[in-house]
Amino acid sequence: MAFGRTRGVELKAEWERLPCGLGVLMTHTPPFGILDESRGKRLGCEELLRATKAVKPAVHVFGHIHAGYGTQSSTRTLFVNASSAREHHAEK
């Protein structure tokens, strides 16, 4: 949930409003499959993943999933899960 909307069609409409050419995108939740794993489950948003692929921000900073703390790079985007964690997690 983000913007008071549930995942799926409602959030897709919000993510589609993101402008192309963003330098930095900050969201609460991670995109699906990117630093979003906790207890063996992927918890990120599928529609946000599609939006980040379309918009291609230079940096996408998010949190929410503490176990996913760290960084990951794609061809065009540096993804940063900046959540603070209580346990030490090895860098990814």
Side-chain angles (χ1 to χ4, degrees):
M1 181 174 214
F3 306 103
R5 291 163 176 72
T6 56
R7 288 187 180 181
V9 175
E10 287 185 0
L11 268 180
K12 180 180 179 187
E14 293 296 333
W15 300 135
E16 287 177 343
R17 295 174 51 189
L18 294 173
C20 288
L22 283 174
V24 177
L25 171 63
M26 294 184 75
T27 61
H28 179 73
T29 193
F32 183 82
I34 299 176
L35 304 169
D36 69 334
E37 189 171 347
S38 181
R39 298 182 180 156
K41 294 183 182 178
R42 294 286 184 181
L43 303 171
C45 177
E46 294 90 350
E47 295 300 338
L48 181 55
L49 176 63
R50 288 182 189 93
T52 56
K53 286 181 178 181
V55 174
K56 300 176 181 104
V59 180
H60 181 188
V61 181
F62 49 87
H64 187 55
I65 309 299
H66 293 245
Y69 173 83
T71 63
Q72 180 177 324
S73 294
S74 71
T75 312
R76 298 180 186 226
T77 304
L78 170 63
F79 295 95
V80 180
N81 181 331
S83 59
S84 55
R86 294 183 182 187
E87 297 177 32
H88 174 72
H89 296 281
E91 286 191 37
K92 297 176 183 180

